[in-house]
Amino acid sequence: MEKEMTTETEVMQGTVEEAVQEEKKPYTLRALNSKDIFPMMKIISCIKISKFSDCFSSDEAKRLIEKSMQNQKITMKDVEELGMGIAFEIGDVILDNLPNAEKYIYQLLSNLSGMTVKELEDMNPGMFLTMIMDVVKQSGFADFFKVALKSIG
């Protein structure tokens, strides 16, 4: 059996192909600004982000708190298990409620890209998710959610 080996040329070709795909995005996003706060607040409201706090009251979290109060050693494994559990619970909250925010997500993306809602609805699903990730990576996005989470927590 022959081993397949990746050559430097193939790696470089993959990088070039990724760059070409990057250029083929059918949208350009403007920077976030204050008028984007309102559709973002509607999205947060629909996603029920306020339920995130419930994700921290699992049996595993209570067990670790009790362990800490009894001055027992908390291992990295304990912390990792708790973190994974919380991440999955937050994911469930988001996925359960995301369809409630569909209209506002399309509105925000339309405002940011200049595309119509119909164009967004007809977009390739992979490209649509890429667009959402591009919004999430924008400067100011994380700051907005930090402030929003503090205000409801």
Side-chain angles (χ1 to χ4, degrees), residues 1-63:
M1 234 157 88
E2 283 185 20
K3 256 187 172 176
E4 283 191 36
M5 297 187 72
T6 304
T7 65
E8 188 175 336
T9 305
E10 289 171 322
V11 171
M12 288 173 39
Q13 182 179 1
T15 305
V16 171
E17 287 172 1
E18 290 169 8
V20 169
Q21 286 176 345
E22 192 75 24
E23 291 175 25
K24 290 185 178 181
K25 290 180 181 176
Y27 59 87
T28 303
L29 297 174
R30 67 164 172 74
L32 290 166
N33 62 40
S34 62
K35 69 181 177 181
D36 299 318
I37 291 172
F38 303 104
M40 289 171 79
M41 292 300 277
K42 287 300 273 183
I43 292 168
I44 287 174
S45 173
C46 291
I47 290 176
K48 309 274 190 238
I49 208 165
S50 60
K51 293 196 180 279
F52 282 13
S53 61
D54 296 344
C55 300
F56 293 89
S57 59
S58 68
D59 290 339
E60 182 65 19
K62 290 174 187 172
R63 185 183 69 77

Side-chain angles (χ1 to χ4, degrees), residues 8 12 34 41 43 47 76 85 89 98 101 104 110 132 143 148:
E8 188 175 336
M12 288 173 39
S34 62
M41 292 300 277
I43 292 168
I47 290 176
M76 188 53 127
E89 288 186 44
L98 197 57
Y104 304 107
S110 177
I132 290 172
D143 293 337

Side-chain angles (χ1 to χ4, degrees), residues 15-129:
T15 305
V16 171
E17 287 172 1
E18 290 169 8
V20 169
Q21 286 176 345
E22 192 75 24
E23 291 175 25
K24 290 185 178 181
K25 290 180 181 176
Y27 59 87
T28 303
L29 297 174
R30 67 164 172 74
L32 290 166
N33 62 40
S34 62
K35 69 181 177 181
D36 299 318
I37 291 172
F38 303 104
M40 289 171 79
M41 292 300 277
K42 287 300 273 183
I43 292 168
I44 287 174
S45 173
C46 291
I47 290 176
K48 309 274 190 238
I49 208 165
S50 60
K51 293 196 180 279
F52 282 13
S53 61
D54 296 344
C55 300
F56 293 89
S57 59
S58 68
D59 290 339
E60 182 65 19
K62 290 174 187 172
R63 185 183 69 77
L64 282 184
I65 291 169
E66 188 175 311
K67 201 173 180 180
S68 172
M69 292 175 73
Q70 295 173 357
N71 293 324
Q72 294 179 8
K73 184 179 178 185
I74 296 174
T75 66
M76 188 53 127
K77 183 180 178 198
D78 291 331
V79 174
E80 288 172 356
E81 286 175 2
L82 177 63
M84 288 298 294
I86 290 171
F88 282 124
E89 288 186 44
I90 288 173
D92 281 347
V93 170
I94 291 171
L95 292 175
D96 284 347
N97 294 292
L98 197 57
N100 302 333
E102 179 181 3
K103 171 178 145 182
Y104 304 107
I105 292 169
Y106 280 123
Q107 178 188 355
L108 176 64
L109 293 175
S110 177
N111 291 345
L112 291 172
S113 68
M115 296 176 75
T116 66
V117 169
K118 176 74 174 128
E119 289 172 321
L120 293 167
E121 291 172 341
D122 292 340
M123 187 181 279
N124 168 296
M127 186 58 68
F128 185 74
L129 290 174

